[in-house]
Amino acid sequence: MKERIATPKDRSRLIYSGIRAALLTHGSMTKVELSRMLGISFPTISKFLSDMESEGELVTAGLDESSGGRRAQRYAYNPDHMLGLALFLEKNETHYSIFNCLGEAKEQGSTSSLLEGDAEKLAAYIAEILARQPRIRAVAVGIPGSVNNGRIIFIPCYEAYHDFDLQGYLETRFRIPVVIENDMNAAVLGFNEKKSEHVNPSIVYLYFGQNGPGAGILVNGDIVRGSTFFAGEVSFLPQYEDRNFTQALDRAHASPPGRMNERELDAVSRMVASCTAILNPHTIVFCRDEVSETLLDRIAERSAAYVPPAHLPRLTASDWRQDYLDGLRSLGLHRMISGASIQE
């Protein structure tokens, strides 16, 4: 394969990305500090900062204390210069969040499900939001299915989206970077960013869901996608006799939220035991709407019948919708700050 040579445009994008990331991380910096941190000459840094300030992307943040010479100007990033849109599609509803470059929510809302229609219906809804918020520079969309580089490769019950390049469709339509991500991958990313007690953790996020059970898997801090991007589709995991996890749960006759009968409890405990034996994660996370603290204790006790209790992970519950949006927000932020183009 022929090696790709970086172009001047590539180098400029990397410099802009480095400046944005440095200022958002450290709050404010001087030209000298940025030059040293990024390994870029002082004249080059000065030129880029001047261009960014003229575009309103930077603001001045006062002068350094004098060390005997001229006091250096400090620069800070204007977090509202660019906005991002995180939007996730569920069976019964669609939720969205508009956020700035610090990840702060500027607007949130919901509407009826857009999965029942097609990509044109989704695009029309996004177009309404973009018309209202023209500073949006990246879109992250979560869907209840398997995704391979922006193409939805498995999404039961929603034929209009199956084997559909949703990323390519939306980027062609709106000419801004778009990320398409599996719902549980986004949720485990969002949970890890705020609540992980470990460095490079291993986490399994289980959700029984409106569209059937799924899992997001993080191993040593990285999402596990699998060779065909099918990892996490735990609904197919065989449990006993001729039943898979979905059939064993039998959600059509499920107990009320936060409660489980003996059949459901055993199915979930077998899933916990399987995750423990194969991945040995630090934590298994459940949706707070689907389990209670008492139920988590019962799951842990039953799981110990299948694997030695010393190896069981911590079982906890979290706000799935918020974790989902936080994960999408993180993915959108990366595209915004990096200045990724739709040609990539």
Side-chain angles (χ1 to χ4, degrees):
M1 180 182 294
K2 185 177 180 181
E3 185 177 354
R4 183 175 180 269
I5 300 174
T7 66
K9 184 177 180 180
D10 292 331
R11 184 169 183 271
S12 293
R13 182 170 61 82
L14 289 173
I15 293 173
Y16 281 123
S17 174
I19 293 172
R20 291 182 188 117
L23 293 178
L24 288 168
T25 299
H26 296 279
S28 68
M29 299 181 74
T30 66
K31 293 178 182 179
V32 171
E33 289 170 342
L34 283 165
S35 176
R36 289 173 179 169
M37 172 177 283
L38 301 177
I40 299 169
S41 71
F42 186 86
T44 299
I45 282 291
S46 297
K47 177 185 180 304
F48 275 80
L49 290 180
S50 177
D51 291 344
M52 294 171 77
E53 186 178 9
S54 67
E55 291 294 324
E57 196 167 357
L58 301 183
V59 294
T60 55
L63 300 172
D64 261 3
E65 293 295 327
S66 176
S67 57
R70 185 178 178 182
R71 298 169 67 189
Q73 177 70 60
R74 301 193 71 82
Y75 295 87
Y77 195 79
N78 175 8
D80 293 330
H81 177 72
M82 296 187 293
L83 300 177
L85 170 64
L87 181 146
F88 75 71
L89 312 181
E90 266 293 315
K91 180 179 181 179
N92 297 327
E93 69 273 333
T94 299
H95 292 264
Y96 77 88
S97 175
I98 297 170
F99 55 92
N100 67 10
C101 289
L102 289 176
E104 298 168 337
K106 310 298 287 186
E107 178 183 325
Q108 297 192 76
S110 62
T111 187
S112 58
S113 175
L114 296 174
L115 280 174
E116 300 297 340
D118 56 16
E120 175 57 34
K121 185 177 180 181
L122 170 62
Y125 185 68
I126 293 174
E128 292 178 5
I129 297 175
L130 294 180
R132 193 170 68 249
Q133 296 281 5
R135 286 177 294 162
I136 290 175
R137 295 292 181 270
V139 178
V141 180
I143 59 99
S146 298
V147 180
N148 182 346
N149 294 311
R151 178 178 290 274
I152 302 171
I153 61 171
F154 178 74
I155 183 167
C157 305
Y158 305 107
E159 277 300 313
Y161 286 96
H162 179 66
D163 196 27
F164 184 73
D165 181 8
L166 185 58
Q167 178 181 337
Y169 173 79
L170 294 177
E171 286 187 339
T172 299
R173 173 78 175 263
F174 298 114
R175 310 306 296 173
I176 58 176
V178 175
V179 182
I180 310 298
E181 183 58 278
N182 165 263
D183 54 357
M184 296 313 301
N185 287 346
V188 77
L189 282 172
F191 175 87
N192 179 52
E193 283 204 343
K194 296 186 302 183
K195 301 172 183 174
S196 176
E197 301 170 359
H198 305 275
V199 177
N200 297 324
S202 294
I203 302 170
V204 176
Y205 204 132
L206 287 174
Y207 180 52
F208 307 137
Q210 299 175 13
N211 295 284
I217 304 169
L218 203 72
V219 173
N220 296 328
D222 295 321
I223 289 290
V224 175
R225 300 184 183 278
S227 62
T228 62
F229 296 82
F230 199 67
E233 295 294 342
V234 295
S235 61
F236 295 100
L237 190 67
Q239 287 217 331
Y240 49 87
E241 297 173 348
D242 59 347
R243 295 184 179 183
N244 60 30
F245 185 47
T246 297
Q247 293 162 338
L249 274 180
D250 188 16
R251 301 302 289 168
H253 302 93
S255 300
R259 299 172 58 186
M260 286 183 183
N261 59 37
E262 287 301 310
R263 170 184 51 76
E264 295 167 317
L265 178 65
D266 188 61
V268 173
S269 299
R270 286 170 183 259
M271 176 61 69
V272 169
S274 297
C275 292
T276 301
I278 297 170
L279 298 173
N280 194 204
H282 296 103
T283 305
I284 293 182
V285 187
F286 294 83
C287 172
R288 188 175 293 151
D289 295 337
E290 297 179 332
V291 299
S292 63
E293 290 298 323
T294 300
L295 183 54
L296 287 178
D297 291 340
R298 291 180 64 203
I299 294 171
E301 182 179 0
R302 178 64 68 87
S303 300
Y306 297 112
V307 293
H311 303 291
L312 283 172
R314 179 176 72 102
L315 305 184
T316 189
S318 187
D319 185 334
W320 177 79
R321 283 179 174 78
Q322 191 60 54
D323 292 336
Y324 192 173
L325 281 173
D326 287 344
L328 291 174
R329 186 180 298 128
S330 176
L331 293 167
L333 274 172
H334 175 73
R335 296 299 295 271
M336 287 165 58
I337 294 169
S338 69
S341 66
I342 61 174
Q343 287 78 29
E344 293 177 356

